[in-house]
C-alpha cells in the first residue's frame, strides 16, 4: 500500500497536476475574490460576477505591468552583461592573477601552475556551453514557443474559470461538503495546508523579500546587474542549508582584494540584513513549529529535483507530505 500510494502521488504530480493546475489556480483566486465580490454585491447590488471580473482585470493588469517592467529590466541587464563580456573577462583575468599570487604566498604552489590549471578548467566549461549552443538549440526554441502557447491557453482557461467558479461558488461548496467520499480528501488537504503548504508559502514570501532586499542593496552599490543578482540570491536563500552567505561572503573577499572595501562591507551587511529578516519573519509566517525535520526537507527537495526537475524544489516536499498524510488517513503507519 505504501508503494502504491508513493507511485500514485508521483504520477499524479507528474502528469495530472499540469492538467488541473489552471483550475486549481482558478479555485484559489475565486476563493480569494468571492468574499469581496459578495460584500460589494450586498452594498451596491452589482452582481458578484461583474465585480469579480473587474477585480480580476485590475489584479491581472497590475501583475502584467509589474511582470512587463521586470522582464524588460532583466533582459536589459542581461544585454549589458553580454556587451561587457570583454571587460568582465579582463577583470576575471586580473582577479585570477591576484588570487593565484596570494595562493603562492600562502601555500608555496607556483602561481603559473595554479593559473594554468584553473584556465584549463574554465576552457572545459566554455566548450560545454558552446556544445549546448548547437543546432539542437533551434529545436529547443521551437519547443519553447509551443510551451508559450500552452501557457497562454492555460492563463485564458484560468481567467474564464475564475469567473465561472465565482458565479456558482455556493453550489460548488455545497457539493464538496455533501459528497461523503470527499471527507478523507478534505482531511488530508486540511493537514497539508497546516504543514507543507504553509511552509512552502512562507518560503516563497521570504524568497521574494530577500530578492527585493538584495536587489535594492546592489542597486545602492551601483551594480548594473542588481535585478539578476537579487533574483539569484533570493533563490539561493530558499535552498535549505545554502543561503545568501554562500555568494555574498566570497564576493566580499573578492571586492576586498580589489580594494573596493565599501562594496565588500555592503555584501556583508546584505547577508546580515537578510539573515535577520528570515529570523524575524519566519516564525511569524509559520506560526507555531510545524514539526518538519530539516533533514527531511533536504531529502525531499533532493529527491524532488531528481524526479521532477527544477520544480522538484516545491513538488518534492509537497509529494513527500502527501504520501505521509494519505498513509496517515488510512492508518498505514500504525
Amino acid at each position: 500500500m505504501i508503494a502504491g500510494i508513493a507511485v500514485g502521488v508521483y504520477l499524479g504530480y507528474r502528469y495530472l497536476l499540469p492538467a488541473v493546475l489552471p483550475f486549481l489556480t482558478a479555485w484559489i483566486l475565486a476563493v480569494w475574490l468571492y468574499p469581496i465580490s459578495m460584500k460589494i454585491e450586498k452594498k451596491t447590488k452589482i452582481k458578484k460576477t461583474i465585480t469579480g471580473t473587474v477585480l480580476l482585470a485590475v489584479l491581472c493588469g497590475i501583475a502584467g505591468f509589474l511582470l512587463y517592467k521586470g522582464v524588460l529590466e532583466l533582459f536589459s541587464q542581461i544585454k549589458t552583461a553580454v556587451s561587457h563580456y570583454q571587460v568582465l573577462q579582463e577583470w576575471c583575468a586580473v582577479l585570477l592573477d591576484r588570487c593565484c599570487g596570494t595562493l603562492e604566498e600562502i601555500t608555496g604552489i607556483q602561481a603559473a601552475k595554479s593559473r594554468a590549471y584553473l584556465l584549463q578548467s574554465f576552457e572545459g566549461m566554455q566548450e560545454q556551453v558552446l556544445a549546448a549552443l548547437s543546432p539542437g538549440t533551434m529545436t529547443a526554441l521551437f519547443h519553447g514557443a509551443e510551451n508559450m502557447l500552452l501557457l497562454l491557453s492555460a492563463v485564458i482557461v484560468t481567467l474564464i474559470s475564475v469567473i465561472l467558479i465565482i458565479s456558482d461558488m455556493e453550489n460548488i461548496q455545497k457539493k464538496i461538503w455533501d459528497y461523503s467520499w470527499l471527507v478523507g480528501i478534505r482531511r488530508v488537504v486540511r493537514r497539508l495546508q497546516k504543514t507543507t503548504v504553509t511552509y512552502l508559502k512562507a518560503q516563497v514570501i521570504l524568497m521574494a523579500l530577500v530578492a527585493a532586499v538584495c536587489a535594492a542593496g546592489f542597486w545602492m552599490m551601483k551594480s548594473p546587474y542588481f535585478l539578476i543578482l537579487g533574483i539569484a540570491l533570493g533563490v539561493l536563500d530558499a535552498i535549505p542549508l545554502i543561503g545568501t552567505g554562500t555568494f555574498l561572503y566570497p564576493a566580499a573577499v573578492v571586492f576586498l582584494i580589489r580594494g573596493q572595501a565599501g562594496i565588500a562591507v555592503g555584501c556583508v551587511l546584505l547577508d546580515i540584513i537578510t539573515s535577520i529578516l528570515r529570523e524575524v519573519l519566519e516564525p511569524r509566517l509559520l506560526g507555531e513549529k510545524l514539526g518538519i525535520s530539516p533533514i527531511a526537507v533536504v531529502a525531499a527537495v533532493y529527491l524532488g529535483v531528481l524526479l521532477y526537475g527544477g520544480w522538484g524544489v516545491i513538488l518534492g516536499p509537497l509529494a513527500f507530505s502527501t504520501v505521509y498524510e494519505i498513509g496517515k488517513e488510512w492508518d498505514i503507519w500504525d
Side-chain angles (χ1 to χ4, degrees):
M1 289 181 71
I2 293 172
I5 292 172
V7 171
V9 169
Y10 166 73
L11 294 176
Y13 281 117
R14 180 81 177 187
Y15 299 105
L16 183 61
L17 181 62
V20 302
L21 188 59
F23 304 100
L24 181 61
T25 305
W27 172 259
I28 294 171
L29 288 172
V31 168
W32 183 49
L33 295 174
Y34 178 74
I36 305 173
S37 303
M38 285 301 298
K39 287 181 181 179
I40 295 175
E41 184 180 30
K42 290 178 181 178
K43 290 183 178 180
T44 63
K45 304 302 180 181
I46 300 175
K47 290 184 178 180
K48 58 180 180 288
T49 51
I50 297 175
T51 306
T53 303
V54 173
L55 291 174
L56 185 62
V58 171
L59 185 66
C60 290
I62 295 172
F65 176 76
L66 294 176
L67 181 63
Y68 172 73
K69 288 294 186 180
V71 170
L72 278 183
E73 181 62 32
L74 186 63
F75 276 104
S76 174
Q77 293 185 17
I78 293 173
K79 182 180 178 181
T80 302
V82 172
S83 64
H84 292 168
Y85 173 76
Q86 188 65 34
V87 177
L88 290 172
Q89 190 177 31
E90 293 174 358
W91 176 80
C92 289
V94 172
L95 178 64
L96 182 63
D97 290 336
R98 291 184 181 181
C99 290
C100 291
T102 304
L103 184 66
E104 183 177 8
E105 293 176 1
I106 297 173
T107 64
I109 299 175
Q110 293 182 3
K113 289 184 178 181
S114 59
R115 188 176 187 279
Y117 174 76
L118 291 173
L119 286 176
Q120 187 177 3
S121 302
F122 291 149
E123 288 175 1
M125 293 172 60
Q126 189 176 11
E127 289 175 1
Q128 292 178 0
V129 171
L130 292 175
L133 300 174
S134 59
T137 307
M138 294 303 298
T139 305
L141 290 175
F142 284 119
H143 284 301
E146 183 182 354
N147 291 334
M148 288 299 295
L149 290 175
L150 289 174
L151 179 61
L152 180 61
S153 302
V155 170
I156 294 173
V157 169
T158 300
L159 297 179
I160 294 173
S161 300
V162 172
I163 306 304
L164 295 177
I165 292 172
I166 289 176
S167 65
D168 200 29
M169 179 65 79
E170 297 90 345
N171 188 34
I172 294 173
Q173 288 179 333
K174 186 176 181 299
K175 288 182 178 180
I176 289 175
W177 285 103
D178 286 346
Y179 289 147
S180 59
W181 59 274
L182 289 175
V183 173
I185 296 177
R186 289 202 303 267
R187 283 198 294 262
V188 170
V189 171
R190 276 199 299 268
R191 290 197 295 268
L192 283 174
Q193 286 178 332
K194 291 180 180 179
T195 55
T196 307
V197 173
T198 301
Y199 170 80
L200 291 174
K201 183 171 68 174
Q203 297 307 316
V204 170
I205 293 173
L206 286 170
M207 180 177 67
L209 290 174
V210 168
V213 169
C214 290
F218 281 110
W219 177 76
M220 293 172 66
M221 288 187 276
K222 309 297 183 184
S223 172
Y225 316 112
F226 63 92
L227 190 59
I228 298 174
L229 294 172
I231 294 173
L233 288 174
V235 173
L236 276 179
D237 187 69
I239 301 174
L241 304 179
I242 295 182
T244 57
T246 307
F247 170 82
L248 287 173
Y249 284 111
V253 173
V254 169
F255 284 115
L256 195 61
I257 292 173
R258 294 188 63 198
Q260 296 174 294
I263 298 180
V265 172
C267 290
V268 174
L269 287 176
L270 265 184
D271 183 67
I272 294 173
I273 292 170
T274 53
S275 299
I276 293 174
L277 185 68
R278 175 170 284 275
E279 290 296 324
V280 171
L281 292 182
E282 195 167 42
R284 295 177 181 272
L285 292 172
L286 294 177
E288 59 186 30
K289 291 185 177 180
L290 301 179
I292 301 176
S293 171
I295 187 62
V297 174
V298 173
V301 170
Y302 174 71
L303 292 174
V305 171
L306 289 180
L307 296 174
Y308 299 110
W311 288 105
V313 175
I314 296 174
L315 292 180
L318 192 57
F320 177 82
S321 296
T322 304
V323 171
Y324 174 77
E325 294 297 346
I326 293 175
K328 186 177 179 180
E329 183 64 26
W330 287 356
D331 294 328
I332 290 177
W333 311 124
D334 295 335

